[in-house]
Amino acid sequence: MRRGSVTKLVCVLTVVAVIAVLAFAPIFEEKVSWLPLYKDINLGLDLQGGVHVVLEAKDTEDIKVDQEKMAQLKATIDRRVNAFGVSEPIVQQEGDRRIVVELAGIDDPDAAVESIVKTAYLEFIGPDGEVILTGADLKDAVEVRDPQTNEVQVSLAFTEAGTEKFADATTKFVRQQIGIVLDGNMLQNPVVNQPILDGKAVITGYNSFEEAHEIAVLLRSGALPLKVEVMEKRTVGPTLGQDSLDKSVVAGIIGFTMVVAFMILYYRVPGIIANIALLVYTIIVLALYIALDVVLTLPGIAGFILSVGVAVDANVLIFERVKEELRNGKSLRTAIDSGFKRAYIAVVDANVTTLLAAGVLYYFGASMVKGFALTLSIGILVSMFTAITLTRSLLKLTAETGWVKNTKYYGA
Amino acid sequence: MFEIIKRRKIWYLISALIIIPGLISLFTQGLNLGIDFTGGNIVEIKFDQNISTAQVRKVVENEGLTSNYIQESSGNVFLIRTEVTTEEQNTKFLRALNDELGSYELLRNDRVGPTVGKELTQKAIVSLAIAAVLMIIYITWRFEFKQGVAAVVPLLHDVLVTVGILSITQLEVDSSLVAVILTIIGYSINATIVIFDRIRENLHMKKGMKLEELIDTSLWQTMARSINTTLTVLFVLVALYLFGGSTISTFVLALIIGVTSGLYSSIFIASSIWYDILDSRRKGKKAVKAA
């Protein structure tokens, strides 16, 4: 019994140590590509910086820049940037005719900028050269795969007025061609087989699903109301400033060191166990951030700190309960079992409540709120997992080895 | 045992003494909203020699301008966003940059609009309201309806305390305030549920105990946990506040206020509210298990 549990304990600790060293080694050394943390976590604009783009709206012969159009332009660009899934971008008007866009965490900023400034002016043109309807008559555009042919398509749905116009035109031009034109380029020139009355149309002929996705995003976000040129594009540092960030990292390390010391001083043996669990917790969470492509920003870090608090809390709840059971005269092993059971009810109830809130925030919230909710949810789920697996088994194993006979070291 | 429930009027009073001035301040002077919300000025500048962000920040702060938006770019170029400046302030600022950091070329000097739309704030508030309803439903299922209500009240309390103090101090808040409020709420609900869980258990174990005494016992049984968990979070936050640089100090300070308020409200407010909204039958001699 004893020897077995000593071996088990040594095994568990060795595995943890090895994983920890390997996971954190890349931070200090050359990156090892097969490790979960080999590539850095994506950081947001505030922590890492990104691309700073200045766009300028130009007057054309028929459209002059005014403030109302600038507001529309900003809203459209906002929609596009958010649709590209960039985390918490900055979009702001500068002066009378410029828009500043800052993007972080994109692999190909040039392509992103290009698709932001595409006008995306969609027209359906009849055989007589008259415009039947434009992007303004669109209700929605979604990229889909045709289930039968596996062909990539963008399916369009028109507004009520658009549906009417389209129905009239397709009735009038049966067996003739209607051109689909984007930014002056003819995308397609299909023949109308029969009148289309339900306000739906499909554009085909894309090379990839990504291409269809991009077009759909542009169509959904609406055409730019003004002609736009890129004036400046430069890489910029974090909005919080490199100097502040360096300080914050040091401060974070100091804070976590204090937490570790406090746990050992206050909880003795279980405190050491909690720290091991916390280490594993942190590794799993960071690995998940990378796996799920989480873009970490300052609010996200708030979510992470809160989740660390939750993880510590799960351990504290368990230890306090074990202490109580010991004081009620139970043996160490019984105390660990029943203490864990009782504490876990509280852990689950508290965490499910918080998860509910986080889920709602993720579902309904805007960009920043989403990032926070995601980091918090990941943290809570992982903390419940490490409490059940690691904290529990380590507590039991150390008890079984019989090294620490005196229950005083468990806080009794 | 120090009686907590019996003294609940005192706890309410302490909260009121913080929240009411905060509310008055909110209605009279509001929050000091940062450039995320209000827009401001942008200066793009190319220095002739190597300059660090810290040096630029020092000049900006000496001029009394907001300095949490200074970005470095290659070739000694800096982007500095500050609040809206007058012509005079602007000239003075540019001169100070020249005096302190040497000659430069001014690439841009322009006004910029807000980056945070009303949409973000509205969406956050709407989703919080929905979250509150869901939390009440879950707590009603696992505990009872009145505890659900009593668990959500402290959340409002903590938000009001934090936002109120930020309004009184007129510290400049940026869009991360949204994240601060969410963190506080997550933290506070957690603490309250742990206490209610203990009350639920004691209602089964200690039949015949007076409810007031039973709640006090539960509060004291969970006291070590409440304080220790808060302490660990505060360690990290205080370290960030002391050593973390000026750009995140308001963000961290707001978290410190909120977390402390969350500790207070989960112990002194949540159970007191629950006790107050219970009907008198349950407060009687015997703690009857909720039907």
Side-chain angles (χ1 to χ4, degrees):
Chain A
M1 183 71 214
R2 266 193 56 179
R3 174 158 307 172
S5 46
V6 173
T7 323
K8 267 194 215 154
L9 182 64
V10 171
C11 280
V12 172
L13 290 180
T14 316
V15 169
V16 169
V18 169
I19 293 175
V21 168
L22 291 178
F24 287 112
I27 296 174
F28 309 107
E29 289 289 325
E30 286 291 296
K31 301 212 182 316
V32 188
S33 57
W34 46 269
L35 283 171
L37 302 184
Y38 78 96
K39 60 170 191 165
D40 291 337
I41 294 177
N42 296 323
L43 299 175
L45 209 49
D46 50 354
L47 304 176
Q48 184 177 280
V51 199
H52 177 94
V53 185
V54 183
L55 307 171
E56 185 162 293
K58 297 283 184 203
D59 288 323
T60 57
E61 278 172 24
D62 9 312
I63 305 174
K64 299 280 177 277
V65 175
D66 63 35
Q67 285 320 295
E68 195 185 332
K69 288 204 185 66
M70 283 303 290
Q72 283 172 8
L73 179 67
K74 178 178 176 292
T76 310
I77 289 176
D78 239 335
R79 279 197 297 273
R80 287 185 186 188
V81 171
N82 281 319
F84 287 121
V86 182
S87 115
E88 295 164 45
I90 290 178
V91 179
Q92 61 186 155
Q93 186 173 344
E94 177 190 327
D96 289 338
R97 48 174 63 227
R98 286 182 171 188
I99 302 275
V100 172
V101 181
E102 273 185 27
L103 308 167
I106 331 179
D107 302 334
D108 190 354
D110 288 354
V113 172
E114 210 169 291
S115 43
I116 288 169
V117 298
K118 264 205 193 126
T119 310
Y121 191 66
L122 179 77
E123 294 168 302
F124 284 70
I125 298 179
D128 53 1
E130 289 294 311
V131 176
I132 301 166
L133 36 75
T134 67
D137 298 306
L138 272 186
K139 193 166 70 181
D140 201 7
V142 191
E143 67 280 11
V144 285
R145 260 183 211 286
D146 188 318
Q148 272 111 29
T149 60
N150 210 13
E151 187 187 35
V152 182
Q153 310 170 330
V154 173
S155 82
L156 308 175
F158 299 114
T159 58
E160 238 169 273
T163 303
E164 217 162 290
K165 288 184 205 167
F166 202 60
D168 291 349
T170 46
T171 314
K172 193 167 140 192
F173 299 125
V174 166
R175 277 184 282 289
Q176 298 184 52
Q177 290 176 311
I178 288 187
I180 304 174
V181 179
L182 185 70
D183 286 351
N185 304 316
M186 176 80 77
L187 289 177
Q188 277 174 286
N189 205 1
V191 175
V192 179
N193 295 325
Q194 58 198 55
I196 300 171
L197 308 175
D198 63 352
K200 292 210 166 30
V202 167
I203 313 176
T204 55
Y206 297 103
N207 300 320
S208 70
F209 201 71
E210 282 68 42
E211 190 189 354
H213 169 72
E214 190 180 311
I215 296 283
V217 165
L218 292 177
L219 293 177
R220 262 205 307 273
S221 59
L224 295 188
L226 293 161
K227 187 169 174 292
V228 168
E229 273 179 29
V230 178
M231 302 298 291
E232 181 184 10
K233 192 163 58 178
R234 56 163 61 247
T235 322
V236 284
T239 54
L240 287 173
Q242 195 58 54
D243 54 334
S244 302
L245 287 179
D246 295 344
K247 283 183 187 164
S248 302
V249 170
V250 173
I253 292 171
I254 294 172
F256 276 106
T257 312
M258 285 172 72
V259 172
V260 167
F262 172 80
M263 292 299 281
I264 295 177
L265 287 173
Y266 193 95
Y267 287 107
R268 313 284 174 85
V269 173
I272 297 171
I273 291 169
N275 287 331
I276 295 169
L278 212 54
L279 176 69
V280 173
Y281 165 82
T282 309
I283 295 171
I284 296 176
V285 167
L286 295 180
L288 279 174
Y289 284 177
I290 291 166
L292 297 173
D293 268 335
V294 172
V295 180
L296 209 55
T297 57
L298 190 63
I301 287 179
F304 176 69
I305 291 180
L306 173 60
S307 79
V308 169
V310 169
V312 172
D313 189 41
N315 283 293
V316 168
L317 277 166
I318 292 166
F319 301 156
E320 290 290 345
R321 283 295 191 149
V322 171
K323 248 194 220 180
E324 271 179 59
E325 301 286 306
L326 284 172
R327 283 177 191 157
N328 292 342
K330 291 191 174 152
S331 74
L332 187 53
R333 288 180 55 191
T334 334
I336 289 172
D337 270 341
S338 58
F340 183 88
K341 267 202 199 79
R342 294 197 165 170
Y344 213 71
I345 299 171
V347 172
V348 169
D349 270 337
N351 285 345
V352 170
T353 317
T354 320
L355 270 177
L356 270 180
V360 172
L361 292 172
Y362 186 79
Y363 192 79
F364 296 101
S367 63
M368 177 179 23
V369 180
K370 265 193 166 48
F372 169 86
L374 186 63
T375 50
L376 177 61
S377 308
I378 292 173
I380 289 175
L381 290 169
V382 175
S383 76
M384 284 164 85
F385 169 77
T386 47
I388 293 180
T389 52
L390 216 61
T391 306
R392 187 182 192 173
S393 58
L394 283 175
L395 270 176
K396 283 176 107 155
L397 285 171
T398 41
E400 281 169 11
T401 56
W403 287 338
V404 189
K405 281 243 170 23
N406 191 336
T407 53
K408 218 168 65 193
Y409 292 106
Y410 284 88
Chain B
M1 187 169 71
F2 179 80
E3 290 168 320
I4 294 175
I5 294 296
K6 191 168 251 147
R7 296 185 173 80
R8 60 188 182 281
K9 297 249 182 335
I10 301 175
W11 317 137
Y12 293 153
L13 183 70
I14 292 173
S15 293
L17 285 175
I18 299 169
I19 291 175
I20 291 168
L23 280 175
I24 292 169
S25 168
L26 269 175
F27 283 116
T28 50
Q29 51 183 6
L31 285 166
N32 176 3
L33 294 174
I35 53 176
D36 293 0
F37 295 107
T38 59
N41 210 32
I42 191 167
V43 171
E44 186 178 1
I45 212 162
K46 183 176 172 29
F47 287 100
D48 295 338
Q49 50 195 344
N50 279 332
I51 300 288
S52 74
T53 321
Q55 285 173 290
V56 177
R57 193 181 307 284
K58 220 170 129 185
V59 177
V60 177
E61 280 173 358
N62 284 344
E63 291 297 307
L65 297 171
T66 308
S67 66
N68 53 1
Y69 243 116
I70 300 173
Q71 293 165 277
E72 200 171 349
S73 181
S74 55
N76 295 322
V77 172
F78 285 86
L79 271 179
I80 308 165
R81 287 181 176 90
T82 61
E83 60 268 62
V84 176
T85 48
T86 59
E87 201 64 48
E88 207 177 326
Q89 276 175 314
N90 200 13
T91 320
K92 194 164 157 284
F93 170 53
L94 292 173
R95 199 175 312 130
L97 282 172
N98 194 3
D99 294 346
E100 299 291 325
L101 308 174
S103 53
Y104 59 78
E105 183 188 349
L106 185 63
L107 304 174
R108 265 152 86 196
N109 187 357
D110 213 340
R111 294 237 159 146
V112 281
T115 55
V116 177
K118 286 194 171 62
E119 190 199 21
L120 174 79
T121 336
Q122 278 168 353
K123 269 187 161 177
I125 292 170
V126 169
S127 44
L128 270 182
I130 299 171
V133 172
L134 272 184
M135 285 196 265
I136 293 180
I137 292 172
Y138 179 77
I139 299 170
T140 304
W141 173 54
R142 294 286 297 160
F143 299 84
E144 58 171 89
F145 173 69
K146 284 184 173 169
Q147 277 184 320
V149 175
V152 172
V153 171
L155 304 184
L156 193 63
H157 168 279
D158 300 334
V159 172
L160 288 177
V161 166
T162 312
V163 176
I165 292 178
L166 285 174
S167 168
I168 293 168
T169 53
Q170 284 293 298
L171 285 164
E172 187 171 296
V173 293
D174 58 15
S175 53
S176 62
L177 178 69
V178 181
V180 168
I181 287 173
L182 300 181
T183 309
I184 293 165
I185 286 175
Y187 183 83
S188 181
I189 194 80
N190 234 339
T192 304
I193 296 287
V194 168
I195 293 168
F196 283 179
D197 165 83
R198 199 65 191 223
I199 293 175
R200 176 177 59 184
E201 186 181 307
N202 286 334
L203 285 173
H204 289 279
M205 313 258 291
K206 301 187 192 306
K207 292 215 165 91
M209 194 189 260
K210 265 186 131 171
L211 190 61
E212 206 171 313
E213 196 187 334
L214 187 139
I215 297 176
D216 278 344
T217 309
S218 310
L219 286 171
W220 282 104
Q221 283 171 328
T222 48
M223 196 62 77
R225 170 269 156 199
S226 300
I227 291 171
N228 285 350
T229 299
T230 310
L231 271 181
T232 52
V233 175
L234 282 178
F235 285 152
V236 178
L237 291 176
V238 170
L240 282 172
Y241 185 71
L242 293 177
F243 313 109
S246 60
T247 46
I248 61 166
S249 63
T250 305
F251 172 76
V252 176
L253 184 67
L255 277 174
I256 291 175
I257 296 168
V259 163
T260 313
S261 167
L263 174 68
Y264 176 83
S265 69
S266 66
I267 296 172
F268 295 100
I269 303 291
S271 304
S272 302
I273 298 252
W274 179 58
Y275 188 79
D276 272 333
I277 56 180
L278 279 179
D279 42 62
S280 47
R281 194 171 48 85
R282 299 251 326 255
K283 298 177 194 170
K285 276 272 177 278
K286 292 216 156 110
V288 188
K289 206 178 130 280

